[in-house]
């Protein structure tokens, strides 16, 4: 084999290796990106909000308080308790919502794209009917608060924002999503006033699921 042919073969081999590495890197980066919980375009103007627990049931006050503490412990968003009816987030229960759902969150944005008001409710009738444990009810409340601060549903079953979640609390992928959402400027464009509603269906308990 002549020197010239060797050089050609080496060049081809190096070129092929470069392409393989590039393709591998693309798939790795794509996979990593999709693992982060999706966030919407709406958010509060800063990673904090006042919240009023409007429910008179002591057990559901505890559920909401546990969910609030869980988000506050992440350090990426802070809820401050308020007794004002004008609090930015009103959290409670509503047994009158559709029997398909464990929770429902409605948020409204202003003309700057920032969230101006949120109403979020758990469905105690359905949570009781399908035997949600207190920890699982807290997971649902954490999920609803995730919507309240701007997170969307995740395809990752281990995310608190998985649409059929009853098993998992807040995960690192959810925390990263909030960091990303509140770390990026909205820009100067004007946004129309909008209202968003997130409905979260119940899920039957599956044997072998971790009790988290």
């Amino acid at each position: 084999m002549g020197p010239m042919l060797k050089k050609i073969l080496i060049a081809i081999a190096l070129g092929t290796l470069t392409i393989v590495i590039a393709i591998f890197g693309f798939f790795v980066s794509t996979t990593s990106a999709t693992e982060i919980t999706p966030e919407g375009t709406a958010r509060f103007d800063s990673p904090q909000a006042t919240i009023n627990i409007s429910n008179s049931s002591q057990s559901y006050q505890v559920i909401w308080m546990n969910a609030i503490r869980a988000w506050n412990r992440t350090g990426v968003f802070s809820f401050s308790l308020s007794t004002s009816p004008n609090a930015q987030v009103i959290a409670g229960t509503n047994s009158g919502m559709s029997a398909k759902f464990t929770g429902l969150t409605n948020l409204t944005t202003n003309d700057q794209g920032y969230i101006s008001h949120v109403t979020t409710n758990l469905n105690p009738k359905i949570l009781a009917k399908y035997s949600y444990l207190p920890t699982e009810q807290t997971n649902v409340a954490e999920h609803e608060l995730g919507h309240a601060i701007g997170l969307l549903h995740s395809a990752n079953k281990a995310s608190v924002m998985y649409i059929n979640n009853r098993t998992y609390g807040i995960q690192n992928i959810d925390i990263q999503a909030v960091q990303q959402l509140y770390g990026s400027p909205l820009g100067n464009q004007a946004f129309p006033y909008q209202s968003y509603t997130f409905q979260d269906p119940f899920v039957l308990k599956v044997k072998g699921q971790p009790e988290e």
Side-chain angles (χ1 to χ4, degrees):
M1 183 183 296
M4 183 60 68
L5 182 57
K6 284 184 179 180
K7 289 182 180 179
I8 293 173
L9 291 176
I10 291 172
I12 292 173
L14 289 174
T16 303
L17 180 61
T18 301
I19 293 171
V20 170
I21 291 173
I23 293 173
F24 178 77
F26 170 79
F27 280 110
V28 168
S29 62
T30 302
T31 301
S32 299
T34 57
E35 286 178 352
I36 298 177
T37 301
E39 73 271 5
T41 57
R43 69 175 203 200
F44 286 101
D45 59 353
S46 63
Q48 57 188 358
T50 56
I51 183 168
N52 180 346
I53 303 175
S54 63
N55 194 271
S56 58
S57 164
Q58 185 175 359
S59 61
Y60 278 98
Q61 286 182 15
V62 171
I63 295 298
W64 281 116
M65 279 300 306
N66 287 339
I68 289 167
R69 291 190 185 105
W71 273 111
N72 286 354
R73 281 195 300 268
T74 67
V76 295
F77 197 93
S78 177
F79 288 102
S80 300
L81 288 175
S82 171
T83 57
S84 170
N86 297 319
Q88 292 165 293
V89 181
I90 304 295
T93 58
N94 180 2
S95 296
M97 73 174 72
S98 169
K100 297 179 181 179
F101 305 120
T102 56
L104 186 148
T105 296
N106 180 270
L107 60 88
T108 303
T109 61
N110 61 24
D111 59 354
Q112 294 180 307
Y114 292 120
I115 298 171
S116 56
H117 183 72
V118 178
T119 301
T120 181
N121 285 292
L122 301 178
N123 189 341
K125 184 182 295 185
I126 296 304
L127 293 173
K129 179 178 179 179
Y130 293 100
S131 304
Y132 277 63
L133 299 173
T135 52
E136 294 173 329
Q137 294 180 42
T138 299
N139 293 339
V140 175
E142 290 176 22
H143 177 107
E144 298 307 325
L145 291 182
H147 285 318
I149 63 180
L151 297 184
L152 305 179
H153 284 135
S154 173
N156 190 324
K157 293 183 179 181
S159 165
V160 75
M161 299 310 297
Y162 181 59
I163 190 169
N164 289 325
N165 178 56
R166 71 182 277 175
T167 306
Y168 291 96
I170 302 163
Q171 305 295 309
N172 284 335
I173 52 175
D174 308 313
I175 294 171
Q176 291 170 23
V178 178
Q179 289 174 322
Q180 183 169 288
L181 177 61
Y182 284 86
S184 304
L186 284 180
N188 297 320
Q189 68 269 36
F191 290 79
Y193 290 90
Q194 295 189 50
S195 180
Y196 303 84
T197 299
F198 300 95
Q199 298 173 322
D200 299 297
F202 68 85
V203 58
L204 298 176
K205 182 70 175 178
V206 178
K207 290 183 179 180
Q209 283 185 324
E211 301 289 354
E212 294 192 19

